Amino acid sequence: MKIRFENADLSSSSGPNSFAKKLKRYLEDSGNTVSSLDYEAVLCFIETYGAFGDVPLYQRLDGIYFNIDFDYQSQNANIYQTYQRSHGVIFQSYFNKKLIAKYFGEHPNSTVIHNGADVKMIGDTPALEHRFFDRYENVWCCASNWRPHKRLKENIEYFLEHKGERDCLIVAGQTPKVFDDPNIFFVGQFSYELLLSLYKRSKYFVHLAWLDHCPNVVVDARASG
């Protein structure tokens, strides 16, 4: 089958985009084609403003806006329009499906497909090696596109409460330095491959996010051991 990816940036390391990159690889490995020019179906990540004629549109949803401190109905407006237009909807978890059905109503054609890891790439990726790590007995890490509900502060507090004397925490993802501690290192944005390498070097991965539907970083960290 020839499939168009809509609203996906394969150069981005964000959750939906890193998932799209993994999915493209495995779709093509199984004999499908991902093309923006000649296609038989459209797989849309979250939302689209496009028109595709008679070509069936499928929507993959990783969440919607529900913070009542904001105008969440306006934020969701185009996502909802895409939901209504779609021939089918793919949810990334049962929690995700339940929450969206509460706000959008049940979709007549939907399924749940959990996020997956690129096990081939993980298997080919070596653990991160650097003499820096020789100073520590255990490496902890956390990674995200940091927003309030990802709860970086709580992740760090958990590390500080439970760490050993020779443990360190590596914080990946763009964020200001929120704690000044000699054993916590803010390393900024990592490529997907470098993140996998960090996961394989780490003993612990921390992700204390609030209402996170099926975070790709957790799936990848678990698959990396």
Side-chain angles (χ1 to χ4, degrees), residues 132 135-136 156 159-160 163-170 177 179-186:
F132 158 83
R135 292 180 277 168
Y136 298 99
I156 292 173
F159 166 73
L160 293 173
K163 71 180 179 69
E165 290 185 3
R166 295 183 58 229
D167 289 8
C168 71
L169 172 66
I170 310 296
K177 187 176 181 180
F179 272 77
D180 189 12
D181 184 283
N183 297 312
I184 300 174
F185 301 91
F186 295 83

Side-chain angles (χ1 to χ4, degrees), residues 100-151:
I100 291 169
K102 177 181 177 180
Y103 286 86
F104 286 2
E106 295 281 351
H107 194 280
N109 183 31
S110 69
T111 190
V112 173
I113 303 176
H114 294 102
N115 290 340
D118 189 338
V119 292
K120 292 180 182 177
M121 181 176 287
I122 290 172
D124 293 338
T125 300
L128 191 59
E129 293 291 341
H130 195 282
R131 61 180 181 275
F132 158 83
F133 293 116
D134 296 341
R135 292 180 277 168
Y136 298 99
E137 182 177 356
N138 296 310
V139 177
W140 300 50
C141 71
C142 58
S144 184
N145 287 304
W146 295 108
R147 288 160 284 165
H149 76 282
K150 300 291 186 177
R151 304 206 312 161

Side-chain angles (χ1 to χ4, degrees), residues 90 113 218:
I90 302 161
I113 303 176
V218 173

